[in-house]
Amino acid sequence: MLKISQLHYLFLATLLSLSCAKTVHAEPNTTLTVIVNGVRHKTGEICFRVYDSEKGFPMSNSSEVQNGCTKINGTSVKKVFSGLKPGTYAVAVVDDQNGDRKLNKDFFGIPKEGFGISKNPTVSVQTGTPKFRNSSFKMTKNTTINISLKYSLDP
């Protein structure tokens, strides 16, 4: 009788320890490929900023989750961002011709360099700067997006 109750306690202890153990679920990382079309220049760089929230979007160079520049080598440029967690993202790009890695504007705030935003929203005097919620996309797996460069505001 004593051996059966000892086995019973051992079995119960094993079950309890298994039920208390935390299951580790590693979040898979995803890859975002951004293709920029409509590049007009043959020199310079296309600079990319990937944001995961509205904070700083699309102008801040300190609140993005990833960034980088790629030398221009044709009318399209591709950049791959790895290690992104599944979530909601938006991308801003600039045709950086003077090497300062930011979008230069004139006295009235109108861009002097080519620019683009994920989901290619209308950018005009009436619409103003695109909002994160209108430019963002959900990423649950490896994703490719296309951004068309604009060299002036939309009518």
Side-chain angles (χ1 to χ4, degrees):
M1 181 84 153
L2 186 58
K3 286 189 179 199
I4 292 176
S5 73
Q6 285 178 338
L7 281 174
H8 183 64
Y9 286 125
L10 179 64
F11 181 70
L12 265 171
T14 303
L15 278 178
L16 278 173
S17 64
L18 286 175
S19 67
C20 291
K22 290 185 178 179
T23 305
V24 176
H25 293 288
E27 275 193 19
N29 287 328
T30 57
T31 298
L32 172 63
T33 302
V34 181
I35 300 170
V36 177
N37 299 301
V39 179
R40 290 185 184 171
H41 299 103
K42 302 222 183 289
T43 60
E45 295 180 308
I46 301 297
C47 292
F48 301 77
R49 291 193 175 123
V50 180
Y51 297 86
D52 65 354
S53 72
E54 63 189 30
K55 181 183 175 196
F57 177 80
M59 302 301 223
S60 174
N61 62 355
S62 62
S63 60
E64 71 268 13
V65 292
Q66 286 194 27
N67 63 45
C69 296
T70 300
K71 291 228 178 270
I72 294 173
N73 58 6
T75 58
S76 291
V77 173
K78 178 169 90 170
K79 179 90 173 146
V80 178
F81 296 94
S82 301
L84 294 169
K85 294 178 182 171
T88 302
Y89 294 92
V91 180
V93 299
V94 173
D95 181 350
D96 185 25
Q97 289 298 299
N98 63 358
D100 66 356
R101 299 189 172 209
K102 64 180 182 179
L103 180 62
N104 295 292
K105 300 177 189 176
D106 67 12
F107 178 75
F108 299 105
I110 297 175
K112 293 174 19 177
E113 295 177 300
F115 64 95
I117 305 283
S118 48
K119 294 178 77 175
N120 299 302
T122 299
V123 181
S124 68
V125 173
Q126 288 82 18
T127 62
T129 303
K131 303 288 185 223
F132 180 83
R133 70 179 172 271
N134 299 328
S135 305
S136 61
F137 54 93
K138 292 222 182 271
M139 220 173 85
T140 57
K141 58 183 179 175
N142 293 345
T143 303
T144 299
I145 64 167
N146 288 284
I147 296 177
S148 297
L149 278 181
K150 300 173 187 241
Y151 287 89
S152 65
L153 296 179
D154 293 315

